[in-house]
Amino acid sequence: MKKSRILAALLCLVFIFSACGKDGNSAEDSQPAYSGGLDEATMEWTGQGGAYKMENIELPELCQDVDVYGGELYYLVQSEIDISPYHILRGDKELGTVERDFNVEFCVKEDGIYMLDVSFEEEGQEISLSKYSPELEPVFTAELNGMYESERYGYGDVQSVKITGDRIYLQVNQTELLILDSQGQLTGSGRLPAEGLSLVLSEDGTLYAAGETAEGLTLYRLDGETGEFTQAFACPAGSLFDGGDGSYLLLLTDEGIYSLDAQGTASPKVIWSECYLNPGSIYKVKADGGKFLCLGSDSCYLLTPTEPAELQPKTELLIGCMDPNGMDILAARFNAHSDEYYVRVVDYSGGIYASAEEVQLRLNTELISGKAPDMFCFFSGWISPNIYAGKGLLVDMKPLIEADEELSPEDIVLYKALDYNGGIYVMGESFYLDTLAARESDFGQRYGWTLEEYRQIDAGLREDQMCIYNLSRELFIYNVIGRYVRSAVDWTGSSCDFDNPEFVDLLRTVLELRETPEDPNNMVFGPGEPRVAAGEQTTVAVFAMFVSSLAESEQMAGCPLSFIGWPTPDGSCGTDASLNTQLAICSLSQHQEGCWEFIKYMLMNANTNRGVMPGYPLLMYRPALEESIAKAMADEDAQVKMTQADADKLLDFLDAIENLSDYDRAIMDIINSECQAMFAGDKTPEETAKLIQSRASLYVAEQS
């Protein structure tokens, strides 16, 4: 407790420069904290809703949609990305395949399976609605193009499909309504009362159009005889879904799932906080057999009634994020897995665009007020975690890794690159690489080159040749000088070192470099790898998101490549890795053990499937990365089939990387600012280095 008070007091001085004239909201105000519905004294359920547990459903690879009917899950699975046919599974049993181009809607009913499909022909798009029997025998295909006039090109012309026992409703062009019979024949049409409405079907088959208002939602009921919509009732704000399983309609809010009656009265079914649940973003809810299927963009859960005693109280862990996208999904999976901890994600941007300064102010305010999150998710290029690590506000995870019985340093890819001043303060699930590649015949098999090599190579090129494509001084400062900041600044000792011969040499290099900005005279269309292979260009930029990315570049070049990255003063590895998210543990947290459990879960349960992406991801957990590589090697349909040599080269390259691409933006602004006078000829590199040293020293001292 004493250490926490000292650190909190220290923070009052640490970030004063960013706190003037602004106010911040506390983390607790962003989302309601959980409070269990179980009375621990009497072991009786006192919640507003029911007691539910959440089961994480592992989706098949390339699964495009999920539905539930009769207690069974149905999956729509693509054979390959953007390639037909689709496989339809009931549980783990395949019912068969259907030839579809681009499925938009997948719906399972008592009488069969419905699919809305878009195909793209030379004359335009073709939209059709098909019905199959429960055994996947074709029943009908209704071609929709002739039923209405398309207002624009795109599958968005059909916004919604709702199916009852004898009618099919389609919302097209936002406000038009088509009514089909059970055989797909057009029997009528109508018009929605306004734009921006969506269709929802009650349990008894009544069709409603719902729209948002300042007070909540307003619903309009379709009169089956007149075909007109009339205003029916209003209900609280949220997302509406079809009724069923005893609920007239379903309403999803931030607090949970509610049942609506025909007058719009909401009754709680599942309250997240009472059940220690945090399902993240959900776009589909369906009730079936007392359960709820909840589908998110990258997650699927089944909410099942359980005995209240099964819902044991959990310790809450708070994650502060600049953007919860992805982190909330991971938290929901962890919550479904953990019996001891419950992770709640708070968006520090307030759900709207916020500047890095505003997000940093929010975090600093929380730290000073003693309401610090247990973990914080940094994003590269926004806020550097190094200043927080240097002030003792982040937990060094290296001892946790070394002491863990399930995880070892050898299991962490980029272990060397994660090191900052002898500790590891951030961790991520996946990463990407932004590097430069050159012909191996010119450079040999290595991962770096020196500034002197760069200068000599560029000086020997013809005017029409380029060493680095689209090179500018700004790009050089960001990629080469920016890396220097990581080693030049000592946040712990509140000092920096820019006034030295090595940094002066960097400044002189950027002053004298030959810029090759992209313009109509040197524009390159298509990949740069063939130009490198032909000697027209020394290096090519390679952006690697997947395990096969390096092999793909070599295939395009038609020759072996050396991934040398940007030049460095000593010729060390010139490639920095970027974590897609940088998760850190706050040293003020009283639940650091639980935080480590969450981070370990993130690492050891990484998704190795390619999903809708064209490749297999680069993952931080070595066994998961190796599985990702194995899948890429076994993928017969991959654009580039990786070999064992490709895999070995990738792993050697990753082991050679020494740094994360994470630099302090404020210092970079100082460097860019002072370099302008040097570029104008008003200052020498030596004078510029002294000015940068003076300003950067003052900035670093202000953070102490």
Side-chain angles (χ1 to χ4, degrees):
M1 181 64 70
K2 183 177 180 182
K3 180 181 178 182
S4 299
R5 288 174 179 168
I6 292 173
L7 288 172
L10 176 64
L11 279 163
C12 293
L13 300 176
V14 168
F15 301 113
I16 284 178
F17 77 99
S18 67
C20 297
K22 296 184 180 180
D23 190 20
N25 299 318
S26 70
E28 282 77 3
D29 293 337
S30 298
Q31 295 181 24
Y34 78 90
S35 56
L38 178 67
D39 187 326
E40 296 182 48
T42 64
M43 297 305 289
E44 294 182 355
W45 185 254
T46 59
Q48 302 176 63
Y52 283 80
K53 63 180 179 180
M54 186 167 68
E55 176 187 358
N56 181 31
I57 304 299
E58 293 295 335
L59 300 178
E61 187 174 356
L62 297 183
C63 182
Q64 301 300 301
D65 208 346
V66 186
D67 205 357
V68 60
Y69 182 79
E72 294 191 273
L73 292 173
Y74 289 76
Y75 304 98
L76 181 67
V77 181
Q78 218 167 4
S79 298
E80 300 176 43
I81 294 177
D82 297 331
I83 297 178
S84 194
Y86 285 90
H87 300 263
I88 298 181
L89 286 68
R90 183 173 61 216
D92 57 2
K93 177 184 177 181
E94 181 168 333
L95 297 179
T97 60
V98 292
E99 293 290 335
R100 316 297 291 173
D101 279 355
F102 186 81
N103 184 74
V104 180
E105 186 82 18
F106 174 65
C107 179
V108 181
K109 293 289 186 178
E110 181 180 8
D111 59 341
I113 299 171
Y114 295 79
M115 297 179 69
L116 183 68
D117 179 65
V118 176
S119 61
F120 299 95
E121 311 296 340
E122 289 185 4
E123 60 275 11
Q125 67 178 11
E126 297 290 336
I127 305 179
S128 62
L129 177 69
S130 297
K131 176 183 177 181
Y132 301 88
S133 72
E135 292 74 32
L136 214 59
E137 295 294 330
V139 177
F140 71 76
T141 295
E143 302 296 340
L144 303 181
N145 287 54
M147 298 183 185
Y148 71 100
E149 184 177 346
S150 176
E151 292 185 345
R152 64 187 184 280
Y153 183 82
Y155 69 82
D157 285 344
V158 179
Q159 284 79 39
S160 180
V161 180
K162 296 299 175 183
I163 303 164
T164 67
D166 59 353
R167 289 186 179 183
I168 301 171
Y169 300 100
L170 295 107
Q171 180 185 3
V172 300
N173 294 334
Q174 297 293 332
T175 59
E176 294 182 49
L177 180 69
L178 301 181
I179 305 174
L180 282 59
D181 63 18
S182 60
Q183 297 303 309
Q185 299 297 312
L186 182 65
T187 62
S189 63
R191 182 167 290 275
L192 276 65
E195 291 188 356
L197 304 182
S198 58
L199 298 183
V200 62
L201 200 63
S202 71
E203 187 175 30
D204 67 3
T206 302
L207 185 71
Y208 290 88
E212 295 182 4
T213 67
E215 293 74 28
L217 297 173
T218 296
L219 280 77
Y220 303 85
R221 181 187 294 112
L222 176 68
D223 188 312
E225 295 184 2
T226 66
E228 299 291 330
F229 283 93
T230 57
Q231 186 166 332
F233 57 82
C235 72
S239 300
L240 278 177
F241 297 94
D242 295 347
D245 200 32
S247 294
Y248 189 71
L249 291 170
L250 291 174
L251 175 67
L252 173 70
T253 73
D254 291 340
E255 287 73 38
I257 299 173
Y258 293 79
S259 173
L260 290 183
D261 64 17
Q263 288 72 47
T265 302
S267 303
K269 300 292 289 185
V270 187
I271 302 300
W272 308 136
S273 61
E274 294 176 350
C275 301
Y276 310 104
L277 299 179
N278 178 16
S281 300
I282 298 174
Y283 68 80
K284 179 178 180 179
V285 175
K286 185 173 181 179
D288 181 85
K291 302 178 181 180
F292 294 95
L293 175 70
C294 298
L295 194 62
S297 58
D298 190 32
S299 58
C300 182
Y301 309 103
L302 200 59
L303 302 180
T304 305
T306 188
E307 291 296 323
E310 296 283 327
L311 300 177
Q312 296 298 322
K314 298 181 180 182
T315 299
E316 183 182 63
L317 305 175
L318 201 65
I319 299 181
C321 285
M322 296 194 256
D323 180 358
N325 184 31
M327 190 54 63
D328 55 348
I329 295 172
L330 177 63
R333 290 176 176 170
F334 175 79
N335 292 340
H337 155 82
S338 177
D339 294 327
E340 188 174 355
Y341 299 102
Y342 166 88
V343 170
R344 184 161 61 93
V345 179
V346 175
D347 182 2
Y348 273 39
S349 69
I352 58 176
Y353 174 77
S355 68
E357 290 77 12
E358 290 171 324
V359 173
Q360 188 172 31
L361 171 63
R362 172 71 183 273
L363 174 59
N364 298 342
T365 303
E366 304 289 9
L367 291 167
I368 294 170
S369 67
K371 297 179 181 179
D374 298 283
M375 292 171 277
F376 191 80
C377 190
F378 294 90
F379 283 80
S380 181
W382 275 58
I383 301 173
S384 171
N386 293 344
I387 182 172
Y388 295 90
K391 298 305 174 184
L393 297 170
L394 304 183
V395 172
D396 179 7
M397 287 181 266
K398 186 176 285 188
L400 299 175
I401 297 171
E402 294 173 348
D404 198 281
E405 296 181 356
E406 299 178 285
L407 204 62
S408 68
E410 291 74 25
D411 292 328
I412 309 296
V413 181
L414 303 177
Y415 194 77
K416 179 168 56 177
L418 289 169
D419 188 286
Y420 174 71
N421 285 350
I424 292 178
Y425 298 96
V426 294
M427 191 63 68
E429 179 185 29
S430 60
F431 61 94
Y432 62 90
L433 308 171
D434 197 354
T435 186
L436 296 176
R439 289 189 302 195
E440 188 175 299
S441 58
D442 294 334
F443 284 84
Q445 185 52 52
R446 54 177 166 142
Y447 302 116
W449 53 324
T450 65
L451 285 170
E452 183 58 32
E453 284 181 293
Y454 158 71
R455 287 189 287 256
Q456 290 180 2
I457 291 171
D458 191 61
L461 296 177
R462 301 189 309 269
E463 186 63 27
D464 62 335
Q465 292 177 306
M466 287 179 284
C467 185
I468 300 173
Y469 181 73
N470 198 25
L471 180 64
S472 65
R473 286 167 168 169
E474 290 74 17
L475 189 65
F476 192 91
I477 289 174
Y478 178 82
N479 286 284
V480 179
I481 295 183
R483 160 185 279 216
Y484 188 84
V485 173
R486 183 180 173 99
S487 58
V489 178
D490 177 10
W491 292 111
T492 304
S494 302
S495 63
C496 60
D497 182 14
F498 292 102
D499 187 10
N500 59 69
E502 185 175 83
F503 188 69
V504 169
D505 188 42
L506 286 172
L507 294 177
R508 182 173 291 107
T509 301
V510 73
L511 175 64
E512 298 173 354
L513 67 81
R514 179 171 66 103
E515 294 184 289
T516 54
E518 192 175 64
D519 63 44
N521 296 321
N522 68 0
M523 188 81 69
V524 173
F525 297 95
E529 283 85 352
R531 291 175 55 83
V532 168
E536 300 169 2
Q537 194 172 304
T538 304
T539 65
V540 60
V542 176
F543 185 72
M545 291 181 62
F546 309 110
V547 296
S548 59
S549 296
L550 305 186
E552 289 172 5
S553 283
E554 290 195 312
Q555 184 188 68
M556 285 189 285
C559 65
L561 297 176
S562 289
F563 298 93
I564 54 176
W566 288 82
T568 60
D570 59 359
S572 57
C573 181
T575 302
D576 294 347
S578 297
L579 302 184
N580 287 312
T581 57
Q582 301 179 78
L583 194 58
I585 303 173
C586 180
S587 61
L588 300 177
S589 171
Q590 302 299 310
H591 310 295
Q592 296 178 19
E593 189 174 298
C595 296
W596 173 241
E597 286 300 313
F598 177 75
I599 291 176
K600 188 168 71 170
Y601 178 86
M602 173 184 71
L603 287 169
M604 300 181 70
N605 293 273
N607 183 10
T608 60
N609 295 329
R610 60 178 179 169
V612 297
M613 300 297 287
Y616 299 92
L618 289 164
L619 299 168
M620 289 292 290
Y621 184 51
R622 192 173 296 272
L625 176 66
E626 291 171 350
E627 182 180 342
S628 197
I629 292 172
K631 287 183 176 181
M633 293 174 64
D635 191 344
E636 297 293 340
D637 301 311
Q639 182 178 351
V640 172
K641 187 173 175 61
M642 285 187 71
T643 66
Q644 187 59 53
D646 294 329
D648 293 341
K649 187 170 186 176
L650 170 65
L651 293 173
D652 287 343
F653 180 34
L654 296 180
D655 287 339
I657 294 175
E658 300 175 350
N659 292 289
L660 296 181
S661 57
D662 181 86
Y663 313 112
D664 187 85
R665 188 182 61 258
I667 292 184
M668 291 303 298
D669 288 344
I670 292 172
I671 293 172
N672 276 298
S673 173
E674 293 301 335
C675 281
Q676 299 311 307
M678 181 179 71
F679 297 154
D682 297 332
K683 301 289 182 184
T684 66
E686 289 80 5
E687 291 171 328
T688 302
K690 291 183 183 299
L691 289 170
I692 292 172
Q693 173 67 23
S694 176
R695 288 185 60 188
S697 295
L698 179 61
Y699 166 74
V700 172
E702 287 176 340
Q703 314 315 305
S704 301

